Structure formats: structure tokens, C-alpha cells
Amino acid sequence: MDCKITIVGAGITGLACAQRLVRDGYTPLVLDKGRGIGGRIATRRVMLPDGAIGFDHGAQYLTARDRAFAAALQGLGSASAVWCDGAAEPHLVGVPGMSSLPRSLANGLDVQLGKEVTAMRAVQGGWELDLSQMRVQSHHLVITVPAPQAAALLGTDHALHSRIAKIAMAPCLTLMAALPGDAPRPFVSRVSDDHPLAWIAQNSTKPGRAGVFTTWVAQAGAEWSERHLEETPEIIAARMLPMLAEVIGVAPQSAVYASAHRWRYAQTIAPLGAPFLCSNDATLFVGGDWCLGARVEAAWLSGTAIAQAIIDQSRRL
């Protein structure tokens, strides 16, 4: 397969890059090894005997401080809404789940899932990628996966490896729990720097989440997450559920559902400080939220900046 622009990673950075390129007449190919798009903007659907429930188990909300990013979110229409959680600035969420946002961004794009890049090499006129059952040749290559994965993909011999390898990212362990509809609801969301559960949100209060259950998402702080990172999801859930139950004032056994998810690369400790990195010949670009900060807006800005750099380069030729 021959493609002029290939983007590895269908998170917000990759989707934003592809959308900007499409608006200028390009037809980029987006590859992702996962089963769904959006990266950490994710919603897990669970079917229980009394009905389906959903949990936003990655990014909890978006804030738009950049005018261009705010305009892009407005263009998503009914896929986003304001979550009234008492925050000082508007918190935007996807409707009926956070995953609605990347799905809307992916409209009109050529996104191929289940496509893991196993090797990449510079060739005459660009790059060649090896996948499990195909080979892709591309003039421009854009890598938008988390920094540790990008460094591994490039290899230690690449000129950009040392700069990317310096980016440290912290993990986050997430608990998803459902309680009966009449269970206590002491708050909508809570941030606590001195508790193992650094963030707790009543997920069922978000727009479009009405149901018979009260659902909660709790995310552990970096230190606690690091300490328990290699435990099984079952053990992680068993550790986190009693802590959540104590905070909201319920018995752990009253939960009708509980599970955990491991985000190995969740937060950037110290960002790069630039929207992206590129090779000397400007055929390879590497970006993500780790470039500017651990916010969805940072991911979008990185991807958009990469696309603009490719467009500007093409116009100069």
C-alpha cells in the first residue's frame, strides 16, 4: 500500500492531524493497533441484567482555552455538552459518552484499527512500515502514540530517540463501579491530593447518562498507581472499591458492578515544551499531549500543528 501521509495512532493528536489535512485536500491513512479510536478518551460499555451502563474511564472531561480548539468542539454539535460539576470553568463531555468525541472527529477519515506497526525504516522518498499482514509506504510519517512507545518504535539509533526517551509519563489506575440508584450521592466530583483516589466522579451525572444505576469513576494518584501497576485488574478493583465506598459512604458489597483499568501512560510529568518533533528532512513528525501538557487540548494542538507544518512544507515545494 502506498500512502503519501500515514498517521500512527488514532487518539486525539492523530485525529486532529488527519482532520486538518483532509480540510486541505489530503487523504491521510490513520493506523491504530487497538479496537477503538480515541486513546484515553474512552467509554466502557457494560451490559447488566437490568440494562446497559457506561463509564468514562479515561479522560473525564475537556476544557477549551484555545480559541481554535473551542471552535472545533463547537463543530461537533450534539456530540458534546457542558457537565455541571461545579467547576470554575466549563467542563465539556461527550454525549452519551466521552468516546463520542473522537468518533465525531473521525468522521470522513480513513482509520484502520487492529493495525500494529511492528517495524519502520527510512527509504527512498519517505518511510516504510511493517504491519502484521501488510506493508505501507509513505512520504510523510506522523507518530502520535505515547512518548515511551514512540521512542521504542523509532529505536535507539534514531536522532529523535534521546529527546523523546527523556519524557517521563506516569500511570493511572481507574475503578469503575455501579451502585443502586438510591445509593448515597454525596458529591458530583472530588479532587484530593492527599488520598489514594485523587479523582472521583459521579459518572451518571454527566449529560446523556441517565439510567437505573448510580455510576462512579475513581482514578488513583500517580504514586498509588505506580505501586500497584502490575497487579491484575481484579486485584486492583478489589483494592480500590473499599476506598471509594468509604469516601461516598456505602458498603463495598452494595456495588452491583466493579472493574478496573490500567492506563500505563496517563500523565506527562514534564512536557517537551514544543508542539512536535520532526526529522531533519521533515518527513517524520512525532507528537502527542506529552509535547505540551497532559490535557486533551494539548493533544489537539499538537496534531493540528503537525498537519499545518506538512501543509506549509508542501506549499513551499
Side-chain angles (χ1 to χ4, degrees), residues 141-153:
L141 175 60
V142 181
I143 299 176
T144 67
V145 298
Q149 294 176 338
L153 193 57

Side-chain angles (χ1 to χ4, degrees), residues 177-180 183 237-238 241-246 248-258:
L179 298 168
L241 181 59
M243 292 191 291
L244 172 65
E246 181 180 15
I248 63 178
V250 299
Q253 58 268 29
S254 66
V256 297
Y257 175 85

Side-chain angles (χ1 to χ4, degrees), residues 18-126:
Q19 279 287 4
R20 177 66 187 91
L21 290 168
V22 167
R23 289 201 303 272
D24 221 64
Y26 296 85
T27 55
L29 171 66
V30 183
L31 304 173
D32 197 287
K33 67 179 181 179
R35 295 178 296 175
I37 62 174
R40 281 164 284 162
I41 302 186
T43 302
R44 179 175 295 184
R45 305 291 180 185
V46 179
M47 182 60 68
L48 299 180
D50 291 331
I53 53 176
F55 299 92
D56 298 323
H57 62 300
Q60 294 296 295
Y61 58 83
L62 286 69
T63 54
R65 298 164 188 169
D66 179 86
R67 295 177 64 180
F69 181 55
L73 292 178
Q74 289 178 352
L76 300 181
S78 60
S80 67
V82 174
W83 178 33
C84 298
D85 64 337
E89 59 183 337
H91 283 175
L92 300 175
V93 298
V95 179
M98 288 297 290
S99 60
S100 299
L101 298 173
R103 284 202 302 267
S104 295
L105 280 175
N107 285 339
L109 301 180
D110 182 5
V111 180
Q112 298 189 20
L113 300 175
K115 304 293 186 182
E116 182 175 6
V117 176
T118 57
M120 52 176 277
R121 67 193 68 86
V123 296
Q124 184 70 27

Side-chain angles (χ1 to χ4, degrees), residues 137-274:
Q137 290 186 330
S138 183
H139 179 63
H140 283 99
L141 175 60
V142 181
I143 299 176
T144 67
V145 298
Q149 294 176 338
L153 193 57
L154 289 174
T156 56
D157 293 335
H158 196 276
L160 297 180
H161 179 273
S162 61
R163 295 185 65 184
I164 300 173
K166 293 177 181 178
I167 303 297
M169 301 191 73
C172 177
L173 300 180
T174 299
L175 172 72
M176 296 158 277
L179 298 168
D182 59 355
R185 306 181 185 190
F187 52 82
V188 174
S189 65
R190 186 187 98 150
V191 179
S192 179
D193 294 332
D194 57 358
H195 192 277
L197 302 185
W199 166 265
I200 302 174
Q202 191 183 150
N203 196 86
S204 47
T205 63
K206 296 178 179 179
R209 275 73 163 180
V212 298
F213 299 107
T214 300
T215 56
W216 294 88
V217 172
Q219 295 180 323
E223 181 181 350
W224 197 94
S225 295
E226 186 70 47
R227 193 183 322 136
H228 300 281
L229 183 62
E230 302 305 333
E231 295 176 346
T232 66
E234 292 76 18
I235 292 177
I236 294 169
R239 291 186 186 278
M240 295 181 72
L241 181 59
M243 292 191 291
L244 172 65
E246 181 180 15
V247 171
I248 63 178
V250 299
Q253 58 268 29
S254 66
V256 297
Y257 175 85
S259 66
H261 184 85
R262 180 193 297 115
W263 296 104
R264 190 172 294 276
Y265 307 117
Q267 297 286 338
T268 303
I269 297 174
L272 177 69

Side-chain angles (χ1 to χ4, degrees), residues 259-313:
S259 66
H261 184 85
R262 180 193 297 115
W263 296 104
R264 190 172 294 276
Y265 307 117
Q267 297 286 338
T268 303
I269 297 174
L272 177 69
F276 59 83
L277 293 171
C278 72
S279 59
N280 290 333
D281 62 0
T283 62
L284 171 68
F285 292 81
V286 188
D289 62 353
W290 51 269
C291 291
L292 296 172
R295 299 176 60 239
V296 176
E297 183 176 75
W300 187 90
L301 290 171
S302 175
T304 302
I306 292 172
Q308 192 61 55
I310 294 174
I311 293 168
D312 292 343
Q313 179 194 50

